[in-house]
Amino acid sequence: PDEVVVPEMTVAELRAALAGAAPPLILDIREQYEWNQVHIADALHIPMNQVPERLADLPTDRAIAVLCAHGNRSYGVTHFLRERELAAWNVKGGITQWHVQGGPVEM
């Protein structure tokens, strides 16, 4: 089988995009207990296993930055969304890198 490759963005690229004219939606696909520990204030939280049934909750006219803890689970979800023709990018390093690099979070 072919290797799955999806577009990715760094935390710095995400922060720049959020400050731009057309900021992406941040989609946090971590589990509820992870979200409760730390999250980005304006992110949309949909646990990974609920994404297929909640596709209608996602914008079709806006970029989506998919985020998990470290960027591994979100890689697969990004692939799933792109197969459905949504403009999704995986956030490399996930919320861990977001926090390490000074991104604002709520706890």
Side-chain angles (χ1 to χ4, degrees), residues 30 67-74 90-97:
R30 296 174 302 138
L67 180 91
C68 66
H70 301 286
N72 298 321
R73 288 173 287 174
S74 55
N90 183 47
V91 179
K92 292 172 72 172
I95 197 161
T96 301
Q97 278 305 305

Side-chain angles (χ1 to χ4, degrees), residues 27 35 76 96:
L27 173 60
W35 171 266
T96 301

Side-chain angles (χ1 to χ4, degrees), residues 33-102:
Y33 75 91
E34 294 173 291
W35 171 266
N36 293 345
Q37 291 171 350
V38 62
H39 59 270
I40 299 170
D42 294 328
L44 173 61
H45 178 233
I46 303 176
M48 182 174 78
N49 293 336
Q50 294 177 21
V51 170
E53 65 197 46
R54 294 194 49 197
L55 283 175
D57 294 341
L58 299 175
T60 57
D61 60 347
R62 183 177 177 193
I64 303 169
V66 187
L67 180 91
C68 66
H70 301 286
N72 298 321
R73 288 173 287 174
S74 55
Y75 196 94
V77 171
T78 300
H79 179 256
F80 175 82
L81 295 176
R82 291 192 74 86
E83 283 184 322
R84 281 136 190 91
E85 300 184 4
L86 294 171
W89 279 261
N90 183 47
V91 179
K92 292 172 72 172
I95 197 161
T96 301
Q97 278 305 305
W98 173 268
H99 188 55
V100 166
Q101 295 182 33

